[in-house]
Amino acid sequence: MSKPILWTFRRCPYAMRARLALASAGLECELREILLRDKPDAFLDTSPKGTVPVLDLHTNVLDESIDIMKFALAENDPDGWLDMAEEGHELITEIEGPFKSALDRYKYTTRYKGADPETERAKAAETLVKFDLRLGSTKYLMGEKITLADMATVTFVRQFANTDRTWFDTQPWPNLRRWLDEFLASDRFAFIMEKHQPWKPADAPKYFP
C-alpha cells in the first residue's frame, strides 16, 4: 500500500509541528516540500484550501496540523505526548487563537489594515507571560516531560521570538527562553528542519522521518 503523502513547507510553524509529531510517532510518509508562492497542481488537487501541512492518507485527507499531530500520535506515541491533562489542550487553543491572531498582525502588519505592531505584540505577550510563569515551576508546560502542549505551541513561540529576537531576549521571561532555546538546540528540531528541494512530479520519492 502506498505510504501517506505529506505536503509541507519547511518554515511554516503549522507544518513544523506536524513533522514533529510524525517524527515522534515514526509514521513514515512521502515528503513533498513546496513553495507557497508556486503551489503544485497536485497539491491543490489534494487540498483546494491551499495551506500546509496536508497529509494525504489516500483514503482521506488531513489538512489541519493539529489533526495530523493527533492522528500520528494515536497511531504510535512512544514518548507519551498525549498523556496530559485537559489544560494542555486549552494552552494549544490559546496559542492557535488569540496568540496567533496577534502574532500575524505583529509580524505581517502590512497585510492587516490598521494593525499596530506594538499593540499586537503586547497582546501576544500576554500569553507568553503565562507560559513563563508555568515554566518557572516545571520543566515543560504540563510537568517534567514533553507533551503535546509543548510541541503544538513551541513553533509559534519561535515565530514570535524571531520577529525581533533582540527585543524578545530583553523581556523578563527567563523560563520561556530556556524552554524555547532547549527546543531550538534539540536534535528533534534539527531533524525536522532538514532542507529539501521543492517537489516536482518526476522526482523519486523522499521519505520522512
Side-chain angles (χ1 to χ4, degrees), residues 98-109:
F99 177 84
K100 189 62 167 70
S101 176
L103 168 56
D104 286 345
R105 286 158 178 78
Y106 164 45
K107 183 177 176 64
Y108 306 111
T109 307

Side-chain angles (χ1 to χ4, degrees), residues 137-147 150:
S137 57
T138 59
K139 186 173 182 180
Y140 301 107
L141 288 173
M142 297 302 296
E144 297 307 309
K145 74 177 188 69
I146 290 172
T147 66
D150 300 284

Side-chain angles (χ1 to χ4, degrees), residues 70-86:
K70 291 176 179 178
F71 169 80
L73 296 170
E75 292 290 308
N76 187 35
D77 186 16
D79 298 320
W81 288 9
L82 293 177
D83 183 18
M84 68 177 189
E86 180 60 30

Side-chain angles (χ1 to χ4, degrees), residues 178-205:
R178 182 264 306 162
W179 173 79
L180 175 62
D181 289 343
E182 177 186 300
F183 170 70
L184 297 179
S186 68
D187 290 341
R188 77 171 76 241
F189 177 68
F191 179 73
I192 67 152
M193 294 303 285
E194 183 181 349
K195 291 184 178 180
H196 300 276
Q197 291 298 312
W199 174 83
K200 295 179 181 178
D203 289 347

Side-chain angles (χ1 to χ4, degrees), residues 5 33 55 87 114 131 137 139 148 168 179 183 193 197:
I5 296 171
E33 177 80 11
L55 186 64
E87 190 176 4
F131 273 40
S137 57
K139 186 173 182 180
L148 182 65
F168 181 84
W179 173 79
F183 170 70
M193 294 303 285
Q197 291 298 312

Side-chain angles (χ1 to χ4, degrees), residues 149-169:
D150 300 284
M151 295 296 101
T153 62
V154 70
T155 60
F156 300 104
V157 177
R158 171 188 177 272
Q159 187 181 44
F160 178 93
N162 285 352
T163 302
D164 186 344
R165 186 70 203 222
T166 300
W167 178 89
F168 181 84
D169 285 342

Side-chain angles (χ1 to χ4, degrees), residues 19-33:
R19 296 197 303 272
L20 284 167
L22 289 165
S24 180
L27 184 61
E28 190 175 48
C29 53
E30 180 184 342
L31 185 145
R32 295 185 179 182
E33 177 80 11

